[in-house]
Structure formats: C-alpha cells, structure tokens
Amino acid sequence: RARALPSLALTPYAPHTPQLDKLEPRRLLALVESILTSLSATLRAGSDGTKPLALLPKALNVLSTLDKVSLCAADGTELPDGDAVVKYALGRLVKAPWPAAAMVTLATAVRDIEVPRAALGDLVVKMLRKLDELEPQALPALLYQLLLLADGAAKSTVLREVGAHFERLLADGTDPDVVRAVQGDVCVHIQYAVKQDAALGAAMLKLAKNGGIALTPFSLPMLLSVARIPRFDAPVAACVVGAVGRSLVAAGYKASSPWL
C-alpha cells in the first residue's frame, strides 16, 4: 500500500542567527564547547531545546576554514587548525551521552557540517548501536538521515544493521503487524533516498549480488521497492532471480547429500 512520506528534515532555526564568522576563533570555540557540554540536556528538552544545536554546524563550518590557529580546548587539547577543531568536536559528540529518541534531531543537525562523510563514521556506528533503544515508529526517519550521513561503504552497513534490527524485533516478540508497518515506511524512505542518490541503489545491488544482503521478509520488499525506479528495474529483478536460483541449487545439493 502506498504510504505518504513523512517529514524528513528538522526545520532550521533561522530568526536572527548571529554572524558567527565575525566572532574571534577563541570565542567561537567556547560556543562550540558550551553546546557540546550541554548537549544531553539540550536534546532531552525536545524541540524547544534544539535552537543552540542549530548553531553547531555553522560554528564548526566557520572554524574549519582556519588554516593556522593556536587554540586550546577546555580539556587542554591543542588545536592547531580548523580540521583539528572539527575532529575534536566530532569526537566529543560521539562520546557525549544523548537519548536514542533524539537521534533524528542530532543526525539532521550534524548533516550540515561540511566534512567528508567518512569523518562521520563513528557517529553513524554509535547511532546504529542504539537502534534497540529506539521506538520502532522512529526508525524510518532515522534510517533516512543515516543514509545521508554515511559514506558509500557505510551505507551498506546501515542497511545490514537495520535488517538485523528487524529480525531482533520479531525475535523479541514485537507485534508483527507493527514491524511490517515500520518496514513498509522504511522501504518508502529507502526508495526516496535512492531516487536522490543513485550510488546508494548501486551499493545495494552490489551488496545483494555478493551475498551481503540475504533475502529476508525485509530485504526482499526493500529491493523490490527500489525496482520501481525505472533505472533499477531490470538489475534488481536479475539480482533477485539470481539469489533465488542460487538458493534452489544449494537446497538441491543439501537434499541429495546426507553429509550436507
């Protein structure tokens, strides 16, 4: 059944944003550290508490442009340039405690930091580890943000982990109707993400062809939903037929061999 695509992005905080590029680097770093120090409380405050968080990407983007600078973080870490500042801030972000329910908000904000996607790998991994703490209904929106945050290699990891998460939900006794409804929403988000990023669809096909994605009650509908995009129709069909064929061959070997 077709599903309406829910809102995918956090509404940016725009009113009277200060000109952060006019601040001295030391004061800008102090602002970043203040936001990171109060991050857990900020995220727990809900929508009213996300205004300071909206300043973090812009502040880090300004600091990242510094070639040579002599800055010292509150914990004594020496920061010689803008890249070191961003790396330090992302490290603090990964180590900071924050509730699973706030992951969509956090991922949306971090997405605006102008760094290579690979630099956000540790953050993506931490979010994947917290999936079991997340309400099932929040998973579709988070998955979409994770696919945007992750680099090419990590996108495959995200898909595998989400598939494993659905298996755990069923094993733990979660209502199958709830799981199926969430899976349907996730497939809609993945289809939308592939429309925006053809490389994601190519990565999914490669993973499926190499056996990295087994055909399950989640992965099969996921692949078939991507097949509704014209350019992926034939490749996905061939991939699914090939996977089914290999399974039948393996089953035949098993049936004819007492040892197997």
Side-chain angles (χ1 to χ4, degrees):
R1 186 170 72 249
R3 299 176 184 273
L5 192 65
S7 176
L8 301 175
L10 181 71
T11 302
Y13 175 60
H16 306 297
T17 300
Q19 295 181 344
L20 297 181
D21 54 341
K22 304 299 183 183
L23 292 179
E24 297 178 356
R26 294 180 189 279
R27 291 194 175 188
L28 205 50
L29 176 60
L31 173 63
V32 168
E33 292 203 274
S34 176
I35 294 172
L36 292 173
T37 299
S38 60
L39 180 66
S40 181
T42 295
L43 292 172
R44 290 183 188 279
S47 59
D48 291 336
T50 58
K51 294 177 181 179
L53 182 60
L55 296 176
L56 183 63
K58 183 171 183 179
L60 287 177
N61 289 340
V62 173
L63 286 167
S64 69
T65 63
L66 302 176
D67 291 330
K68 293 183 180 180
V69 63
S70 180
L71 293 175
C72 183
D75 63 1
T77 302
E78 296 291 337
L79 304 172
D81 55 35
D83 288 342
V85 173
V86 175
K87 184 178 180 180
Y88 168 78
L90 290 178
R92 285 274 308 271
L93 195 59
V94 171
K95 294 177 182 177
W98 28 267
M103 286 197 290
V104 175
T105 299
L106 184 60
T108 305
V110 172
R111 212 181 74 206
D112 292 331
I113 300 176
E114 297 173 1
V115 295
R117 299 295 91 179
L120 301 173
D122 289 342
L123 185 65
V124 171
V125 169
K126 179 174 179 177
M127 289 186 171
L128 289 174
R129 289 174 178 170
K130 295 174 74 70
L131 287 180
D132 290 341
E133 303 174 26
L134 192 69
E135 289 295 326
Q137 291 79 3
L139 183 60
L142 176 63
L143 172 65
Y144 181 81
Q145 297 299 335
L146 288 177
L147 289 174
L148 294 177
L149 281 179
D151 65 357
K155 290 182 192 296
S156 299
T157 302
V158 170
L159 293 174
R160 281 198 301 268
E161 289 299 320
V162 170
H165 177 63
F166 280 129
E167 293 180 10
R168 290 194 299 271
L169 287 177
L170 292 172
D172 292 340
T174 305
D175 186 344
D177 289 338
V178 172
V179 175
R180 280 194 291 269
V182 174
Q183 286 179 338
D185 288 339
V186 164
C187 287
V188 171
H189 281 70
I190 290 175
Q191 184 189 84
Y192 182 80
V194 171
K195 287 180 179 178
Q196 307 301 312
D197 180 9
L200 172 60
M204 290 173 60
L205 279 174
K206 182 178 180 180
L207 196 63
K209 289 178 180 178
N210 295 338
I213 296 180
L215 292 186
T216 67
F218 165 65
S219 64
L220 181 57
M222 177 185 70
L223 288 170
L224 294 178
S225 69
V226 173
R228 298 186 67 181
I229 302 173
R231 67 180 297 178
F232 289 106
D233 184 2
V236 168
C239 179
V240 171
V241 170
V244 172
R246 289 191 297 272
S247 295
L248 290 174
V249 170
Y253 281 129
K254 180 180 177 180
S256 62
S257 170
W259 181 78
L260 287 176

